[in-house]
Amino acid sequence: MQTVAPAASPASEPAAALAAAPAPAPLRIGVPKETAAGEKRVATVPEVVAKLVKLGFAVSVESGAGDAANFADDTYRAAGAEVVPDAAQLWSRADIVFKVRPPTPYEVQLLREGATLVGFVWPAQHPELMQQLAARRATVLAIDSLPRQLSRAQKMDALTSMAGISGYRAVIEAANAFGRFFNGQVTAAGKIPPARVFIAGAGVAGLAAIGTAANLGAIVRANDTRAEVADQVVSLGGEFVKVDYEEEGSGGGGYAKVMSEGFQQAQREMYAREAKDADIIITTALIPGKPAPKLITAEMVRSMKPGSVIVDMAAEQGGNCELTEPGQAVVKHGVTIIGYTDLVSRLAKQSSTLYSNNLLRLAEELCKAKDGRIDVNMEDDAIRGLTVIKEGNITWPPPPPKIPAAAAKPKAAAAVVAAPKGHGHGAGEPMSLKSLAIMFGVGAVLFLLVGLYAPISFLSHFTVFVLACFVGYMVVWNVTPSLHTPLMSVTNAISSIIAIGALIQVAPPLTDAGVDRPNALILGMAVLALTLTAVNMFGGFAVTRRMLAMFRK
């Protein structure tokens, strides 16, 4: 008897086919060699390649891409990357391309249709490039379009990473061109005054320059249109120079806005005064998509001392100084004017490492499943801001990101307004004048009662205590906020007068009748107080030492 196998049911066929289908291949990230003149950075370093491989991606690097940044091909191979001999092969195979500079028209033609490009694009300045990329049906994530006001986007903020490096390098270039030490010295051969550095603009680059110049020992003064950065300037060792004109200069995305003509006139007068005194001027004023504002005029340059230096960090967009020549260092009227446009690239290894870390964080956001596939989620504010082209459709400019904190402000304001209606004080509300007067009145009555009925010995100690509190408060008030924690911990350590009282109770003095022993309760409390005080003393010094170590190089 012949046995006939049962036919497969139609419902089981799709399931079997799905089980037999291979898993989709991971996407390949390509890292080409930068072709812009003088560009030494590379979009990914070997350390990050290994982490991209763990996310499930395949990585290809063009041969020689990291040579200028001191990353050899062998280090990429050891990290798990494939080294491709030429650019055409790399661009044609890559599903995702990591770049630093915007692609050239030739590179756009090499890009695979439907591929993803990640890097600096500057869509406002390159409309033709946007059209060329859209024609390739590409998805483009412009790292320069990241909404920087989102706190969760800071780990992907390559603009901040690069600006910090350029601010540091600007000071190094100034020190190289300057004819003296930055710090003042008194030697047997004579006295050397400290250099006077003025920094125009206290954004990320400006703050980095302030910290570097102050650490080198210079007298640093800085100005910015945003009043809120004054505390940051002071905390880094600089002095904030305020323009004698009231106008708020905060713009969107962490940038300053274009100021009124009245403010600009007052600002020019202040710059003219600072230029006469400064040995070094570093300018950082730049708003993306707009020409650099002219802050330092030719007349200001003439007023500077011979041998002075100007570093114009906005040279790529025309410069903040009228006499700047982009890409060059020139001497005019005895002043060296540095207009280099590759400050970040002059620290290629450091800048490549930070930039590749920013792109790694972006890759983690795009590939949360760690399966080597990306999801460009347009519902995510950070990803939406980055995405300037989605599958050939230009999506730039993006809508304003949703910031939850902004929606909570009207509620807080309504609560403050409602307080005078007799509903009491809510948590965090300011105390009314009536409540403040009552509190001071009650305090005055208590002080009066203490003065009338307390013994003289108590009053003398109480007076010293009150004066000590007042003096201590005034001392702490004038200390830089970043040092408050070390100051308070060491103050606690050295002010443990409780230890003296506890020691007296544990080892009481001799009397005519012999040793006056305290009872067991007082003795126990004295021992406990001595133990806690010892912890406070040794712990205070330990905390201070660890906190101060954070401020040392």
Side-chain angles (χ1 to χ4, degrees):
M1 181 176 180
Q2 186 177 7
T3 304
V4 179
S9 65
S12 64
E13 290 180 0
L18 184 62
L27 298 180
R28 179 170 295 276
I29 296 176
V31 183
K33 183 176 182 179
E34 297 296 323
T35 58
E39 182 57 71
K40 299 178 181 179
R41 289 174 291 177
V42 62
T44 301
V45 301
E47 179 184 355
V48 170
V49 166
K51 296 176 182 178
L52 290 173
V53 171
K54 287 183 179 180
L55 286 176
F57 295 105
V59 181
S60 296
V61 179
E62 183 182 350
S63 179
D67 286 350
N70 296 318
F71 297 110
D73 289 348
D74 289 342
T75 61
Y76 283 103
R77 291 191 184 95
E82 174 194 20
V83 177
V84 178
D86 60 86
Q89 182 179 347
L90 182 133
W91 283 85
S92 63
R93 295 180 56 197
D95 303 295
I96 306 168
V97 176
F98 281 2
K99 264 189 65 60
V100 179
R101 294 272 186 169
T104 63
Y106 172 71
E107 289 173 327
V108 173
Q109 292 303 314
L110 294 178
L111 182 67
R112 285 178 53 185
E113 286 201 8
T116 300
L117 174 68
V118 182
F120 286 106
V121 177
W122 305 107
Q125 290 96 311
H126 300 107
E128 293 183 2
L129 175 61
M130 294 285 286
Q131 294 297 331
Q132 293 169 1
L133 290 168
R136 303 291 293 176
R137 294 191 296 108
T139 296
V140 180
L141 278 68
I143 202 71
D144 49 88
S145 297
L146 179 76
R148 304 170 75 186
Q149 60 268 45
L150 298 177
S151 59
R152 57 179 291 268
Q154 293 178 2
K155 60 185 178 181
M156 301 178 280
D157 189 359
L159 283 174
T160 295
S161 300
M162 300 300 102
I165 294 175
S166 62
Y168 170 86
R169 185 67 191 196
V171 176
I172 301 303
E173 294 292 342
N176 181 57
F178 190 49
R180 292 206 324 263
F181 296 142
F182 265 48
N183 62 321
Q185 296 185 15
V186 178
T187 68
K191 181 179 180 181
I192 303 172
R196 301 181 66 88
V197 179
F198 177 71
I199 296 174
V204 176
L207 292 173
I210 292 168
T212 305
N215 288 337
L216 289 175
I219 297 174
V220 185
R221 292 163 65 84
N223 167 261
D224 196 278
T225 58
R226 297 160 292 185
E228 66 268 18
V229 304
D231 290 339
Q232 300 176 42
V233 171
V234 173
S235 68
L236 289 170
E239 177 186 351
F240 187 78
V241 183
K242 192 174 184 299
V243 177
D244 190 16
Y245 193 97
E246 293 298 330
E247 183 177 349
E248 176 53 44
S250 296
Y255 296 99
K257 70 176 184 180
V258 178
M259 307 300 287
S260 66
E261 181 56 36
F263 182 93
Q264 293 181 33
Q265 178 60 34
Q267 187 182 53
R268 283 191 291 268
E269 294 173 0
M270 182 269 292
Y271 283 158
R273 294 192 301 269
E274 293 295 328
K276 293 178 182 178
D277 295 333
D279 298 307
I280 296 169
I281 295 178
I282 298 175
T283 64
T284 69
L286 186 64
I287 300 175
K290 298 182 180 179
K294 300 300 179 185
L295 304 179
I296 307 299
T297 64
E299 185 61 34
M300 295 179 194
V301 176
R302 292 190 189 95
S303 71
M304 297 180 70
K305 292 170 284 190
S308 299
V309 179
I310 296 175
V311 181
D312 194 339
M313 296 180 62
E316 194 165 8
Q317 296 297 324
N320 296 136
C321 177
E322 286 184 348
L323 303 181
T324 296
E325 295 184 12
Q328 303 293 325
V330 296
V331 179
K332 297 185 179 180
H333 307 295
V335 177
T336 301
I337 303 173
I338 299 174
Y340 296 149
T341 58
D342 61 344
L343 289 174
V344 177
S345 191
R346 289 170 180 252
L347 287 170
K349 187 165 188 175
Q350 181 70 75
S351 55
S352 297
T353 300
L354 293 183
Y355 181 69
S356 61
N357 280 329
N358 293 136
L359 296 192
L360 170 65
R361 302 309 170 200
L362 173 59
E364 290 173 345
E365 290 292 318
L366 296 172
C367 181
K368 294 183 178 180
K370 299 183 179 181
D371 58 354
R373 316 292 297 180
I374 63 171
D375 176 23
V376 182
N377 181 12
M378 300 296 274
E379 298 299 320
D380 185 315
D381 281 343
I383 302 303
R384 174 64 187 89
L386 284 168
T387 308
V388 296
I389 300 177
K390 177 69 180 296
E391 297 175 355
N393 298 313
I394 296 178
T395 59
W396 187 87
K402 302 171 185 176
I403 304 177
K409 290 183 179 179
K411 296 181 180 179
V416 173
V417 173
K421 295 183 180 181
H423 297 290
H425 296 288
E429 295 180 10
M431 184 179 293
S432 66
L433 291 177
K434 181 179 178 181
S435 301
L436 190 63
I438 292 174
M439 185 186 72
F440 273 100
V442 172
V445 171
L446 292 176
F447 272 100
L448 178 62
L449 292 175
V450 169
L452 290 174
Y453 298 104
I456 299 298
S457 59
F458 174 80
L459 285 178
S460 62
H461 292 304
F462 185 70
T463 303
V464 172
F465 173 74
V466 172
L467 290 176
C469 290
F470 176 75
V471 172
Y473 174 79
M474 295 306 296
V475 169
V476 173
W477 179 264
N478 291 307
V479 171
T480 302
S482 58
L483 293 176
H484 278 181
T485 299
L487 175 69
M488 294 305 296
S489 58
V490 76
T491 301
N492 289 338
I494 65 178
S495 64
S496 298
I497 198 171
I498 301 171
I500 299 175
L503 287 172
I504 292 175
Q505 293 299 326
V506 173
L510 292 173
T511 64
D512 294 338
V515 179
D516 186 13
R517 295 291 183 184
N519 60 43
L521 177 61
I522 295 177
L523 182 61
M525 293 180 65
V527 172
L528 177 62
L530 190 59
T531 303
L532 296 177
T533 302
V535 172
N536 185 45
M537 292 172 64
F538 290 106
F541 283 118
V543 170
T544 300
R545 187 175 65 254
R546 296 190 64 178
M547 288 292 296
L548 291 179
M550 298 171 61
F551 296 90
R552 298 192 183 101
K553 294 181 181 179

